[in-house]
Amino acid sequence: MPREGLGEFEQIVLLAIMHVEGDVYGVPIVDEIERRTGRAVARAAVYVTLRRLEAKGLVASWMGEPTQERGGKARRCVKVTPQGLRALRESRLLTNRMWSGLEAKLKGTR
């Protein structure tokens, strides 16, 4: 059975998780993506992607400590799993192979 690759947004979410320091949950992930890409991101899109990544075993989640700023509610925190790290490495290798040899064409000289 063929292995399912990462979609662009899945890859971006996984990379954002790895960049965020401290508790990693939806809002800081959205902020990190927007800061690094300059693109607006819907929180709902991140939450849907996080659920999909968890179903694939690429992230793990748990309920953090309740916070006063959230009225005593806990946040769902996430981390990239070893399987998620492998998927990111494979995605990067595949992308690098596809880009390889296109430098001249991208410059318009070939």
Side-chain angles (χ1 to χ4, degrees), residues 1-22:
M1 183 153 102
R3 181 176 293 171
E4 183 179 339
L6 290 175
E8 178 189 23
F9 195 67
E10 289 176 328
Q11 188 173 1
I12 288 170
V13 169
L14 287 169
L15 292 168
I17 292 168
M18 294 178 67
H19 278 291
V20 173
E21 300 289 329

Side-chain angles (χ1 to χ4, degrees), residues 10 14-15 28 48 58-59 73 78 88 101 103 107:
E10 289 176 328
L14 287 169
L15 292 168
V48 167
L58 305 180
V59 299
K73 294 181 182 176
V78 296
L88 276 171
E103 291 78 14
K107 291 179 183 175

Side-chain angles (χ1 to χ4, degrees), residues 38-95:
R39 294 171 22 189
V41 177
R43 284 186 190 176
V46 169
Y47 290 120
V48 167
T49 301
L50 288 171
R51 283 194 296 273
R52 186 170 56 247
L53 290 169
E54 188 165 28
K56 291 179 176 184
L58 305 180
V59 299
S61 72
W62 66 95
M63 295 307 291
E65 295 297 317
T67 62
Q68 194 150 353
E69 67 186 21
R70 291 179 39 91
K73 294 181 182 176
R75 291 185 174 114
R76 179 164 297 280
C77 297
V78 296
K79 69 176 182 176
V80 178
T81 64
Q83 185 178 343
L85 292 173
R86 278 192 302 279
L88 276 171
R89 278 192 222 89
E90 289 172 9
S91 181
R92 184 176 186 184
L93 287 172
L94 175 65
T95 301

